[in-house]
Structures are given as C-alpha cells and as structure tokens.
C-alpha cells in the first residue's frame, strides 16, 4: 500500500513555482511520519544506554579540522574506553595531557524513527599503566583485525542524552 510524502523543492523543474512536491511512499515508511517528542535523558540513564551498545563515533580534531571515526567501546566506572592502534589518527591527536573529544552512540529504528542518542564531551587520555592496558585488552575485543596496543579513556564532563518517543510518550522499542 502506498501513501504520499512531501519534500522541499519541485519534483519537476517546470513546476518550480510549487513549494512542495509529493511522491508515493511505501506503507512501512508511513509510520515514521507519526508525531514524536524529544525526551531528555538523565546523565545516569544516558551512561546506562551507552553501556548497552558497543559501537559509537569519536569526534576529535585532526589538522585543525573535525574528524570522526567509528569505534567500539565499553563503559567502565563512568568512563568510556576504546582501543586503537599505533597508526590511528586519534592516537596522534591525544597528547600527554589529553585532548577534548566528543563521543556519540545511538540506537534508532530506521522505520519507526524511535530510539535514543547520547553525546559525551570530555577529555581523552592514553592509558599508560600496563596492568590497566592488559585488563582492557581482555574486556574489549576489537572489531577489526589489527594489533590494538593503545587504550584511550574518555572521562565524560558533559553528557547529553535524548530519546525519541511517540507523541503519547510511549518509549522506543
């Protein structure tokens, strides 16, 4: 079954005077047009949600420009831990006194558009203690085949979490 959806701009250049152009969409995507609300998550709940997923994106500065890399992580004692390798851009970005980064992870359903997103801002530092490195090498398995000799700890200073819920307030799946 098909419905209709509208987007900005004309579908046909000859109809450039029209502000919206409509085109048919499949029914399974029509559900995503239902009204939603953005609900802010408390800090503790945001950290719990980060702990439930293993993949996120780290944002840092590389050559004075923003850089984003997907990485797997774990939450340990309210800190985010990632492992990386010697050639990784994040390793060269993290100085001895650390570097400010952002980290984002989410779980959003592509059909219903319900879910959550958590953004952490804080200081990333390389862990240098051999016992801690060995511990995290056991706890956090890399997703790629590469020697991951470096461990980075992100200490959250600002945590922003949001959940997209139905208009009636019912949570995401």
């Amino acid at each position: 079954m098909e419905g209709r959806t509208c987007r900005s701009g004309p579908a046909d250049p000859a109809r450039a005077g029209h502000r919206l152009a409509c085109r048919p969409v499949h029914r399974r995507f029509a559900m995503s047009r239902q009204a939603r609300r953005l609900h802010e998550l408390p800090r503790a709940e945001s950290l719990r949600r980060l702990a439930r997923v293993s993949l996120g994106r780290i944002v840092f500065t590389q050559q004075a420009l923003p850089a984003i890399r997907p990485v797997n992580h774990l939450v340990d004692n309210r800190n985010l831990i990632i492992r990386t390798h010697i050639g990784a851009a994040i390793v060269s970005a993290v100085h001895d006194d650390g570097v400010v980064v952002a980290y984002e992870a989410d779980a959003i359903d592509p059909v219903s558009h319900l879910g959550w997103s958590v953004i952490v801002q804080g200081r990333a530092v390389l862990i240098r203690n051999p016992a801690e490195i060995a511990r995290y090498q056991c706890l956090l398995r890399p997703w790629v085949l590469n020697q991951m000799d470096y461990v980075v700890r992100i200490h959250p200073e600002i945590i922003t979490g949001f959940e997209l819920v139905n208009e009636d307030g019912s949570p995401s799946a």
Side-chain angles (χ1 to χ4, degrees), residues 95-122:
H95 310 289
D96 286 335
D97 57 346
V99 65
V100 173
V101 299
Y103 192 86
E104 190 274 344
D106 55 51
I108 298 176
D109 184 273
V111 175
S112 70
H113 297 174
L114 298 175
W116 58 267
S117 175
V118 173
I119 301 165
V120 169
Q121 295 164 306

Side-chain angles (χ1 to χ4, degrees), residues 6 9 23 39 49 59 83 103 134:
C6 296
R23 60 187 170 118
H39 169 72
R49 296 206 184 191
V59 182
R83 288 181 56 197
Y103 192 86

Side-chain angles (χ1 to χ4, degrees), residues 14-138:
R15 299 177 60 199
H18 290 41
R19 289 306 230 175
L20 294 175
C22 294
R23 60 187 170 118
V25 294
H26 192 273
R27 180 200 292 184
R28 74 181 187 132
F29 296 110
M31 179 182 191
S32 67
R33 294 181 41 93
Q34 293 176 353
R36 283 167 197 62
R37 289 188 304 134
L38 201 57
H39 169 72
E40 190 167 353
L41 298 170
R43 181 182 179 98
E45 178 61 21
S46 294
L47 280 172
R48 275 193 289 280
R49 296 206 184 191
L50 278 176
R52 290 193 330 220
V53 298
S54 61
L55 180 69
R57 295 149 216 67
I58 189 165
V59 182
F60 56 97
T61 303
Q62 182 180 29
Q63 298 177 344
L65 296 171
I68 302 171
R69 298 291 187 273
V71 294
N72 62 321
H73 71 270
L74 65 83
V75 177
D76 186 45
N77 197 26
R78 296 185 301 267
N79 291 301
L80 276 86
I81 306 297
I82 65 171
R83 288 181 56 197
T84 191
H85 56 91
I86 192 165
I90 186 64
V91 172
S92 59
V94 177
H95 310 289
D96 286 335
D97 57 346
V99 65
V100 173
V101 299
Y103 192 86
E104 190 274 344
D106 55 51
I108 298 176
D109 184 273
V111 175
S112 70
H113 297 174
L114 298 175
W116 58 267
S117 175
V118 173
I119 301 165
V120 169
Q121 295 164 306
R123 184 161 295 278
V125 296
L126 285 174
I127 295 176
R128 303 216 185 261
N129 179 307
E132 278 188 285
I133 293 170
R135 178 175 176 258
Y136 290 126
Q137 285 175 334
C138 290

